[in-house]
Amino acid sequence: MWAKLALKLFSREFKRGELTVISAAIALAVLTVLTLSMVTDRIGQSIEEKSSAFIAADRVLASNHVLPAEFLDKANQDNLRTAKITYFDTMLFAGDEMQLGSVKAVSNTYPLKGELKVKTSLTGQPEVTTEIPSRGEVWLSESVFYALNIKVGDKVELGAATFTASHIVAEEPDAPFNVFSSSQRILINEADIAVTEVIQPGSRVFYRQLYAGDKNNLDAFYAWLKPQMKENQNWYGVKDRQSPISNSLNRAESYLLLAGLLGIILAAVAIAVSAKRYCERQYDPVAMMKTLGGSRAMIRKIYLLHLSLVCSLSVIVGLLIGYGLQAIATDYLAQTMGSVLPSASAKPWIIAISTGVICAVMFSIKPLLDLFDIPPLRVLRRNLGDRLLVSKVHLAMSALTVFLLMWLFSNNIKISAILFLSTAFLIAVLFGLSKVIFGGGRKLGLSPGNSWSLAIASIQKRANVNAVQLISFALAIKLLLFLIVLKNDMISDWQSQLPENAPNSFLVNITEQELEPITSFLAQNDMPTSDFYPVVRGRVNAVNGELVAREVSQEDNEKKDEEARSGIGRELNLTWRKDLPNQNELIDGAWFSENSVAEASVEESMLERLDVKIGDTLTFLIGAQSFDAKITSVRKVNWTTLKPNFFIILSPDVLASFPATYISSVNVKEEKKREFNELMRQYPTVNVIDVESFIKQIRSTIEQVSLAIGFVLAIVVACGALVLISQVQASLGERMQEIVILRTLGAKGRLIKNATLYEFLLLGVTAGLVAAIVSDIALLIVQKQMFDLAGKFHPHIWVIGPAVGGLFVACLGYLMIARTMRKNTQGLLRSLA
């Protein structure tokens, strides 16, 4: 019997719209989480897949010694595509000319990701190829042709073998982005390694195995591989590399994760407010049922069934709408990105359903318990039950629910904890501030018949309700400002790193005699350059007189001296200059002065690696000569700028007597390519590293990331707007009663309308101001901690926050109750009944 009554009551309430608010809130939570999760999941997979071209694979296994063939066999069994690369340096000969180059021997399946582009003549255009050099062929970078003074089709000697230089390597997907690495690229077939006879015991050789395939297969393979890896082997993906693209991807991933977490907070607030409002509107029906003999158990069953039906229907609607939204969004994004986005995993569906069910249950427990306790006498005394106490246990459980949902969504307890605690602190501050603001309003001189006076009086009367509304408004505005400003700062930072006139080539190995004519040539041909840095190769040999550990060879079974101090097992590129480079920031100590003698400035990560501090003395070894330099400053270096950067910079007096070569970066416009090639012909010993294709890939990826971020931001903005709507709807019933009373007392319609508008305006301005200040403080912390951006204040949002908050809340609130105010008094009384 109770089930039939429950269904009949559910149908009646559904038709009357009593369930609209809570149903919409639950559906909102589900569709928000599903859309955000699926969009970020699919876009993240797409961007990572495209960015994998930077390493020519999904994952790479790097080693300083030969890798077992069984690794590749196992990977093939796990349905992974594989390839092999072997790197070594050697001399290349053509007649009387010779050139040191970096050999890259590849297997037939190279590259697994990305495109290899070649030219068939020095003046030809790059073309994509799916081939690799045939046996007996060698493909060379353009600078090698100039250095050896040969043309396509000529013979060259590499080790003990003779090869035909059949193609020019224009672009490699995994070309090393290291301005100090050799630009003299030599590509051969791995089957030709043996005939060169270059690799001998003790040769310096590097090995790579490339893997590509499904993420689950890659994870399973790595689980098998990890126990067998040696200490000097490294497994990495594109996001693990220290490069502009990996930094961009990691930042974007953090932003999308942050947006999703904030979206969950907003959805949870909407459900909590809606559940409370729905239960409050059921006080009278429950009191009536109890008066007519309805038992507590029967009422409990009726409303638990209502909750189950509402939850089920809302989750289904949310899933359908969410899936439709993400389909529309990802189709548009796929067309913009020029690729088909991968399918989403099952995780977004699980998270979305869990979010809807958990929020509906947890945020409805306390309001439902209050509903069951409504006394029958309420049919006579309508105010009974209106002042039920807030349960601290329920608040704690609700807070724990939000935290668990954030943790479930992010799978990162640290980020979840930071955001949760900062939001909880914000709510506490806002609640206390609202009490002060609304309480202080009582001291204002109010005049009867004034719209402002009526608005302030209304705020005072609903102090507790308005405190909750203020918190909700401020929280929504704060999160929106937070995401919008962070997005703009991130994109501005990316664009500042790669402006239109960013250097697209590096000139390396310029001698002292070549410096002046090359500088003049570039200036005459309108090719802007960065500073020219002198470079000397040297090793940190000791710290404060204590020798550092040297590099050992695992292949030769050398043992590391465990008692030696930690150091750098390779030579560093050292430079000297009077002025601090503009892409460097001095974070400790003082820069060199005119009287500096034997001083050194160390980059912050190198400071930690060497375990040194300002005042320590470093001993350098260059060839057979050693010298000391005292650390006087620490620098933070922006490695993402396309300019030369150094771990250690010395004062000019230290290295001035050492022979050095110079390095610089230059911007070569397309119409200046011919003149630039002429420079390469005139100075064949100068290494030219073209990073144009690298810059294009980075810009393309950043555009895709920015587009994804913009769409996710739009979803969160919509979510924030719906939270504001749910808050306004929560007070509609009480506002209708006030309108009836004011009209009965003779108040004019214009007075009531203006008072309502001013009330929302005051709430919006206050919420916007608090939100802007708190948002800016939070941004200052998050930018440094999560995104490695220069933290800064944004004074403009302190104006934009109150202005937009006041305008938005006022317009939204007024529009929502405009229909109510258009009703006559009799119509309002019927609605209240």
Side-chain angles (χ1 to χ4, degrees):
M1 177 179 174
W2 68 266
K4 183 177 180 180
L5 177 61
L7 292 174
K8 187 175 181 179
L9 186 60
F10 178 83
S11 175
R12 174 174 167 272
E13 291 180 347
F14 187 82
K15 291 177 181 179
R16 289 182 57 191
E18 293 292 329
L19 300 173
T20 302
V21 178
I22 189 171
S23 299
I26 296 173
L28 167 66
V30 174
L31 74 89
T32 300
V33 173
L34 181 67
T35 306
L36 284 173
S37 300
M38 293 192 75
V39 169
T40 54
D41 185 26
R42 297 181 66 182
I43 291 177
Q45 289 184 59
S46 175
I47 292 175
E48 186 171 354
E49 184 175 327
K50 277 195 168 186
S51 302
S52 296
F54 284 89
I55 57 173
D58 290 323
R59 297 291 185 274
V60 177
L61 177 61
S63 175
N64 292 339
H65 55 78
V66 178
L67 289 160
E70 63 189 64
F71 288 0
L72 296 178
D73 294 338
K74 172 62 175 174
N76 290 327
Q77 293 174 14
D78 290 348
N79 298 318
L80 298 177
R81 294 182 292 121
T82 62
K84 291 194 298 181
I85 303 178
T86 304
Y87 294 99
F88 57 91
D89 292 341
T90 190
M91 296 298 295
L92 198 64
F93 298 89
D96 296 331
E97 303 292 340
M98 68 179 81
Q99 178 64 49
L100 177 65
S102 177
V103 179
K104 180 179 181 179
V106 299
S107 62
N108 291 328
T109 52
Y110 171 86
L112 300 179
K113 295 288 184 74
E115 297 176 337
L116 178 63
K117 294 183 179 181
V118 297
K119 297 195 297 182
T120 55
S121 68
L122 291 171
T123 57
Q125 294 297 318
E127 296 179 355
V128 177
T129 180
T130 57
E131 306 293 330
I132 65 167
S134 302
R135 296 287 300 272
E137 288 185 355
V138 61
W139 296 357
L140 308 173
S141 61
E142 192 167 340
S143 58
V144 178
F145 280 88
Y146 295 136
L148 295 177
N149 194 25
I150 61 174
K151 59 182 182 298
V152 175
D154 288 351
K155 301 292 184 180
V156 296
E157 296 178 27
L158 198 163
T162 301
F163 294 84
T164 300
S166 60
H167 291 80
I168 301 168
V169 178
E171 292 182 19
E172 298 169 87
D174 57 338
F177 185 65
N178 183 346
V179 298
F180 296 107
S181 64
S182 174
S183 67
Q184 317 302 336
R185 310 292 293 167
I186 303 169
L187 195 66
I188 66 172
N189 193 305
E190 68 162 351
D192 281 333
I193 295 177
V195 300
T196 67
E197 299 181 11
V198 171
I199 299 179
Q200 301 293 330
S203 297
R204 190 176 179 84
V205 187
F206 303 96
Y207 302 89
R208 302 286 188 273
Q209 287 183 357
L210 311 184
Y211 304 90
D214 182 74
K215 184 179 183 300
N216 293 331
N217 292 340
L218 285 167
D219 292 342
F221 173 71
Y222 180 58
W224 173 86
L225 175 69
K226 188 175 181 180
Q228 306 177 65
M229 290 175 57
K230 307 296 182 184
E231 290 183 359
N232 60 348
Q233 294 176 344
N234 184 28
W235 171 271
Y236 63 86
V238 65
K239 290 192 294 187
D240 301 317
R241 304 181 79 191
Q242 290 299 316
S243 68
I245 188 63
S246 66
N247 293 338
S248 299
L249 289 177
N250 289 327
R251 282 184 183 178
E253 188 177 75
S254 297
Y255 182 91
L256 296 176
L257 176 64
L258 191 64
L261 292 175
L262 299 182
I264 287 179
I265 294 176
L266 290 173
V269 170
I271 292 179
V273 173
S274 301
K276 187 174 185 300
R277 177 176 180 264
Y278 170 72
C279 290
E280 287 176 349
R281 292 173 70 89
Q282 299 303 310
Y283 286 175
D284 290 343
V286 168
M288 185 66 68
M289 282 189 282
K290 286 186 175 182
T291 303
L292 297 175
S295 67
R296 180 186 177 91
M298 185 188 73
I299 295 172
R300 182 169 59 246
K301 291 177 182 180
I302 289 174
Y303 282 98
L304 287 177
L305 178 60
H306 283 193
L307 178 62
S308 300
L309 292 173
V310 168
C311 182
S312 301
L313 291 175
S314 301
V315 168
I316 292 173
V317 171
L319 292 175
L320 292 174
I321 298 176
Y323 182 79
L325 285 176
Q326 70 83 29
I328 295 171
T330 50
D331 285 346
Y332 172 75
L333 293 173
Q335 293 177 6
T336 307
M337 293 180 177
S339 63
V340 178
L341 298 184
S343 299
S345 61
K347 183 179 178 181
W349 293 92
I350 297 173
I351 294 176
I353 295 173
S354 301
T355 300
V357 174
I358 293 173
C359 285
V361 173
M362 293 304 298
F363 294 131
S364 300
I365 287 179
K366 181 58 170 62
L368 280 175
L369 293 176
D370 291 343
L371 183 62
F372 303 150
D373 289 336
I374 292 298
L377 194 57
R378 181 182 169 90
V379 296
L380 297 178
R381 297 177 58 185
R382 299 293 302 278
N383 64 332
L384 289 179
D386 286 349
R387 300 296 179 183
L388 293 172
L389 296 177
V390 176
S391 171
K392 295 181 180 179
V393 175
H394 180 247
L395 289 177
M397 291 181 65
S398 300
L400 180 60
T401 300
V402 173
F403 176 73
L404 291 176
L405 288 172
M406 294 171 67
W407 187 8
L408 175 67
F409 181 84
S410 67
N411 200 28
N412 187 320
I413 191 170
K414 181 179 179 181
I415 294 178
S416 300
I418 291 174
L419 290 176
F420 176 78
L421 293 175
S422 62
T423 303
F425 177 75
L426 170 65
I427 291 173
V429 171
L430 284 171
F431 191 77
L433 186 62
S434 66
K435 291 292 185 181
V436 173
I437 294 174
F438 299 145
R442 295 186 175 91
K443 300 179 181 178
L444 297 176
L446 304 179
S447 58
N450 183 279
S451 296
W452 281 106
S453 299
L454 186 58
I456 294 174
S458 180
I459 289 176
Q460 294 173 1
K461 177 185 176 184
R462 286 191 297 270
N464 290 332
V465 173
N466 284 331
V468 175
Q469 286 191 337
L470 179 66
I471 291 172
S472 300
F473 293 157
L475 185 60
I477 296 170
K478 177 253 182 184
L479 297 182
L480 299 180
L481 287 175
F482 184 92
L483 290 178
I484 291 171
V485 175
L486 182 58
K487 167 184 175 288
N488 293 337
D489 284 355
M490 283 175 56
I491 294 176
S492 297
D493 185 69
W494 287 334
Q495 291 173 342
S496 67
Q497 294 170 17
L498 291 174
E500 289 301 320
N501 61 344
N504 54 12
S505 294
F506 284 87
L507 300 178
V508 185
N509 201 35
I510 304 171
T511 64
E512 186 77 40
Q513 295 74 25
E514 295 169 333
L515 182 60
E516 195 282 327
I518 288 178
T519 304
S520 300
F521 181 95
L522 295 173
Q524 291 170 7
N525 289 277
D526 191 26
M527 299 179 190
T529 64
S530 66
D531 294 340
F532 284 81
Y533 292 81
V535 179
V536 176
R537 299 279 292 178
R539 183 186 300 272
V540 177
N541 200 43
V543 177
N544 295 328
E546 181 183 357
L547 292 176
V548 300
R550 67 185 183 89
E551 187 176 22
V552 297
S553 171
Q554 298 285 342
E555 201 167 6
D556 297 334
N557 295 319
E558 293 183 9
K559 300 295 183 182
K560 182 178 179 180
D561 184 358
E562 298 295 341
E563 296 181 359
R565 185 187 179 100
S566 61
I568 306 299
R570 61 179 176 85
E571 288 188 331
L572 298 173
N573 295 287
L574 307 174
T575 191
W576 67 90
R577 60 183 287 126
K578 295 179 181 179
D579 304 319
L580 180 70
N582 57 15
Q583 68 270 23
N584 289 203
E585 177 188 352
L586 202 64
I587 59 176
D588 197 7
W591 188 250
F592 310 134
S593 65
E594 293 292 336
N595 301 321
S596 293
V597 177
E599 294 183 1
S601 177
V602 182
E603 188 266 344
E604 56 181 346
S605 67
M606 182 60 65
L607 194 81
E608 296 177 2
R609 186 170 179 181
L610 291 172
D611 191 20
V612 293
K613 61 183 182 302
I614 289 181
D616 286 347
T617 300
L618 302 178
T619 301
F620 296 89
L621 185 64
I622 300 178
Q625 300 183 56
S626 66
F627 59 89
D628 295 337
K630 182 180 179 182
I631 301 175
T632 57
S633 65
V634 181
R635 292 171 293 113
K636 181 177 182 180
V637 177
N638 185 355
W639 296 100
T640 59
T641 58
L642 296 176
K643 296 179 181 179
N645 282 310
F646 298 84
F647 286 109
I648 299 177
I649 299 178
L650 297 164
S651 56
D653 64 292
V654 180
L655 296 177
S657 60
F658 286 89
T661 58
Y662 289 79
I663 179 175
S664 182
S665 56
V666 56
N667 177 261
V668 183
K669 296 181 174 63
E670 187 64 35
E671 60 270 18
K672 295 290 183 178
K673 290 288 186 182
R674 180 174 296 180
E675 290 85 348
F676 191 66
N677 289 337
E678 182 63 31
L679 176 69
M680 296 171 62
R681 293 188 182 95
Q682 293 179 29
Y683 301 97
T685 58
V686 175
N687 295 342
V688 180
I689 303 175
D690 187 358
V691 294
E692 180 69 32
S693 60
F694 183 82
I695 293 174
K696 288 180 180 177
Q697 284 181 303
I698 293 177
R699 283 179 173 154
S700 173
T701 302
I702 289 176
E703 287 175 3
Q704 295 172 14
V705 169
S706 301
L707 189 64
I709 286 175
F711 178 77
V712 170
L713 179 61
I715 295 176
V716 178
V717 168
C719 185
L722 290 174
V723 168
L724 298 181
I725 290 173
S726 68
Q727 279 290 3
V728 174
Q729 283 185 327
S731 61
L732 278 180
E734 189 173 353
R735 292 182 183 278
M736 290 171 66
Q737 290 180 356
E738 289 183 356
I739 293 172
V740 170
I741 295 172
L742 290 171
R743 284 180 177 177
T744 303
L745 296 176
K748 295 182 179 180
R750 184 176 180 180
L751 175 68
I752 300 174
K753 289 180 181 179
N754 289 342
T756 304
L757 184 64
Y758 296 156
E759 180 182 353
F760 281 116
L761 182 65
L762 289 172
L763 288 173
V765 169
T766 305
L769 178 61
V770 176
I773 296 173
V774 175
S775 178
D776 214 12
I777 295 173
L779 275 168
L780 186 67
I781 299 171
V782 171
Q783 283 178 324
K784 289 185 176 181
Q785 297 297 320
M786 289 182 62
F787 296 91
D788 195 28
L789 293 171
K792 61 180 180 180
F793 285 109
H794 307 79
H796 62 281
I797 70 171
W798 296 12
V799 177
I800 295 175
V804 173
L807 182 64
F808 184 73
V809 173
C811 293
L812 181 65
Y814 183 81
L815 289 174
M816 288 188 63
I817 66 170
R819 187 178 63 177
T820 299
M821 288 190 293
R822 284 196 295 269
K823 292 182 179 180
N824 56 33
T825 305
Q826 186 178 6
L828 289 176
L829 289 172
R830 287 177 179 175
S831 300
L832 289 173

